Amino acid sequence: MSIPIPHRPSGVLLGDPAASVTIDVFIDIQCPHSRAIWPNLMAVMEHYKGQSVSLKTHLITLSNHRQAWDMSLGLFALAEGDAEKFYRFATFLYERQDTFYNGQFLHKTHEDLRNLVADYAVEHGKVDREAFIERMDSSDVYEQGRTPIRYAATRSVWATPTVFINNAGLVPVDHHSSLEDWQAAIDPLLK
């Protein structure tokens, strides 16, 4: 079965769409390794602000992270296509990841999770709770949620975080890397 053409390509772009150096990262909002890489990704983008570097985040859901799907839908619903909102809310959620990790939800319901996502959206984004929940349930947000995992499959991505720089998968950075490690990988590409 072929994958239907989505209304928009996978990923949320931060930076210049025509950048000389492109970073694609596949993350899961519930993955602790994705949480570990996130601050450095934000530091990389701050360091290279105004330079020809872009970051495209592909938010996928791993099978062992059952809360990640609804958290992802919440991210897309709050952002409404705005990359800055997406990145700020992702940071907010990573800072609270322990509240929706597997152990925390062992005896909680799907409705408990949806309420938590809505609580966080209201707290962070000052959105109308009912409108936010309705947006989470929209077909547009559903498509934004499912497209990245299908794209990940075409790139043979099976774990998070997975990083590509200029479409190359064999990169010297991962969730343990410092800003200096990222600079060592990126600076030669900018010369």
Side-chain angles (χ1 to χ4, degrees):
M1 180 171 124
S2 62
I3 298 172
I5 298 172
H7 288 95
R8 61 182 59 84
S10 176
V12 179
L13 181 69
L14 187 62
D16 180 5
S20 301
V21 177
T22 61
I23 303 165
D24 280 87
V25 63
F26 292 82
I27 60 167
D28 177 320
I29 197 67
Q30 194 179 333
C31 169
H33 301 298
S34 295
R35 178 184 180 178
I37 202 172
W38 190 256
N40 280 328
L41 289 170
M42 297 302 94
V44 164
M45 292 312 293
E46 184 60 32
H47 178 79
Y48 290 103
K49 194 172 195 166
Q51 296 185 51
S52 193
V53 177
S54 69
L55 170 66
K56 190 176 243 189
T57 297
H58 305 273
L59 193 59
I60 65 175
T61 302
L62 300 178
S63 62
N64 58 327
H65 295 153
R66 70 180 181 99
Q67 287 77 247
W69 173 252
D70 284 290
M71 299 308 285
S72 296
L73 294 180
L75 248 168
F76 289 122
L78 183 108
E80 295 186 286
D82 182 319
E84 293 293 333
K85 285 182 181 179
F86 175 90
Y87 282 93
R88 283 194 305 269
F89 194 39
T91 298
F92 180 90
L93 292 176
Y94 274 127
E95 290 168 352
R96 290 152 182 80
Q97 187 187 71
D98 58 327
T99 66
F100 57 88
Y101 203 70
N102 288 342
Q104 292 294 327
F105 267 80
L106 188 60
H107 301 292
K108 292 185 180 179
T109 68
H110 184 228
E111 195 58 32
D112 292 332
L113 179 62
R114 288 172 55 83
N115 283 326
L116 179 64
V117 177
D119 290 345
Y120 283 158
V122 169
E123 179 184 344
H124 173 76
K126 313 292 186 237
V127 297
D128 175 83
R129 182 183 189 82
E130 297 310 314
F132 171 80
I133 291 171
E134 189 174 309
R135 176 113 174 98
M136 267 185 70
D137 292 335
S138 72
S139 60
D140 178 54
V141 167
Y142 176 79
E143 184 176 301
Q144 289 178 65
R146 76 178 187 181
T147 299
I149 192 63
R150 291 173 176 196
Y151 177 60
T154 69
R155 300 293 308 267
S156 299
V157 171
W158 58 272
T160 57
T162 296
V163 178
F164 293 87
I165 298 177
N166 287 350
N167 291 316
L170 187 58
V171 297
V173 290
D174 62 17
H175 62 284
H176 297 294
S177 301
S178 66
L179 175 58
E180 292 75 23
D181 297 328
W182 282 88
Q183 289 172 288
I186 294 170
D187 286 351
L189 302 174
L190 288 173
K191 294 182 178 165

